[in-house]
Amino acid sequence: MASGVVGGRRAAVLGSPIAHSLSPVLHRAAYEAAGLTGWSYERFDVDEAALPGFLDGLGPEWAGLSLTMPLKRAVIPLVDEISETAASVDAVNTLVLTEDGRRLGDNTDIPGMVAALREHGIEQVDSAAVLGAGATASSALAALARICTGEVVAYVRSEARAAEMRQWGERLEVEVRTADWADAAEALRAELVIATTPAGTTDALAAAVPERPATLFDVLYDPWPTELAARWSMFGGAVVSGLDLLVHQAVLQFEQMTGHTPGPLAAMRHAGEQALAAR
């Protein structure tokens, strides 16, 4: 079990923009709950051009980094080793820095999604729908590769995006069928709906929520609830939030960077909820 060392251990989240990241709140709460008094966690605004120099300047006190946009793909050529999970979606959100100077890249978004669903009782589904086709949608497909036994329908705005999602499906060995965004209301009848779109995109779908909805996983967390999530809850459906995802992926990062397991999930969630309420 790792603990504070002489001079302290450091971690941080990198990205651009980064000011609104909740990662420092979550990780600092974890350090406090776990009694890791020598640890600190910061945020740095770093873009793709600045990333190599930033990494080269890190000393031995650094234990790890969380990476957000636009660095998840840019960091790949800069790591010594990449996990199968990260390689499957060409995205690294976690960099563990070893004592011998190696950089190990991983992706905790995918197992974080699976863990968030499991916490809400979703272990396996026969089919699912994905709203959107960006980077988060590919992570959603990777998560569905672990829990969905049948077809995934992806609702997208263009044929180019549709082609991308079909390619991701082939790569991840998920049966993907694409449909036009104009028909996205049909997605809401699926056993599991994963909304991966930016804020406001699904608001117009709220009126189409069926009387007995199943499970919605909306990856947004600020503002929360989204109109779709609020309507879904009102009709008695199960809702998994972006904060659930954020906390579960952060717990996995904490465990990898500190060696302290299990990570303090409840303390991290409470801190995240308080920070969002303060906004």
Side-chain angles (χ1 to χ4, degrees):
M1 182 181 297
S3 62
V5 296
V6 176
R9 300 304 308 276
R10 299 181 68 183
V13 59
L14 311 183
S16 188
I18 201 65
H20 292 289
S21 173
L22 276 181
S23 292
V25 170
L26 302 181
H27 285 264
R28 289 169 187 168
Y31 298 158
E32 183 177 356
L36 301 183
T37 55
W39 287 73
S40 66
Y41 191 102
E42 303 152 89
R43 64 164 69 89
F44 293 96
D45 196 301
V46 176
D47 62 14
E48 293 151 296
L51 182 61
F54 185 93
L55 294 181
D56 289 342
L58 299 180
E61 73 277 14
W62 283 87
L65 298 168
S66 308
L67 302 167
T68 186
M69 299 305 290
L71 305 179
K72 292 184 180 183
R73 202 158 280 176
V75 76
I76 292 175
L78 308 175
V79 304
D80 295 302
E81 186 179 318
I82 184 172
S83 70
E84 287 186 18
T85 302
S88 73
V89 290
D90 290 336
V92 167
N93 80 327
T94 305
L95 196 61
V96 175
L97 306 169
T98 67
E99 291 182 4
D100 61 358
R102 287 168 57 76
R103 302 169 182 171
L104 310 181
D106 194 15
N107 185 307
T108 63
D109 286 330
I110 294 163
M113 280 187 176
V114 174
L117 286 164
R118 185 179 297 125
E119 187 180 33
H120 285 76
I122 308 298
E123 300 274 355
Q124 183 177 301
V125 293
D126 295 326
S127 61
V130 174
L131 299 173
T136 307
S138 60
S139 291
L141 286 182
L144 288 168
R146 303 184 180 193
I147 66 166
C148 184
T149 60
E151 182 182 68
V152 176
V153 184
Y155 291 81
V156 300
R157 292 190 182 277
S158 70
E159 179 49 42
R161 289 289 196 172
E164 284 179 19
M165 289 298 279
R166 289 192 293 268
Q167 288 171 358
W168 278 116
E170 289 178 15
R171 178 169 172 174
L172 296 164
E173 298 182 352
V174 179
E175 184 184 348
V176 174
R177 176 168 64 86
T178 54
D180 193 272
W181 184 263
D183 299 320
E186 295 175 7
L188 308 187
R189 301 188 180 280
E191 185 179 353
L192 170 62
V193 182
I194 304 182
T196 70
T197 52
T201 308
T202 61
D203 288 356
L205 297 175
V209 173
E211 285 187 11
R212 291 182 178 83
T215 301
L216 170 68
F217 191 161
D218 194 325
V219 302
L220 296 173
Y221 60 84
D222 188 18
W224 186 263
T226 62
E227 289 190 27
L228 179 61
R231 181 89 170 179
W232 201 275
S233 294
M234 190 172 75
F235 277 65
V239 175
V240 185
S241 75
L243 182 61
D244 292 323
L245 167 59
L246 191 67
V247 170
H248 276 283
Q249 66 82 26
V251 164
L252 296 170
Q253 290 185 334
F254 167 85
E255 292 174 351
Q256 289 191 33
M257 293 178 192
T258 67
H260 190 291
T261 58
L265 178 72
M268 296 172 81
R269 174 178 280 122
H270 180 65
E273 289 170 345
Q274 283 192 316
L276 287 176
R279 291 182 181 180

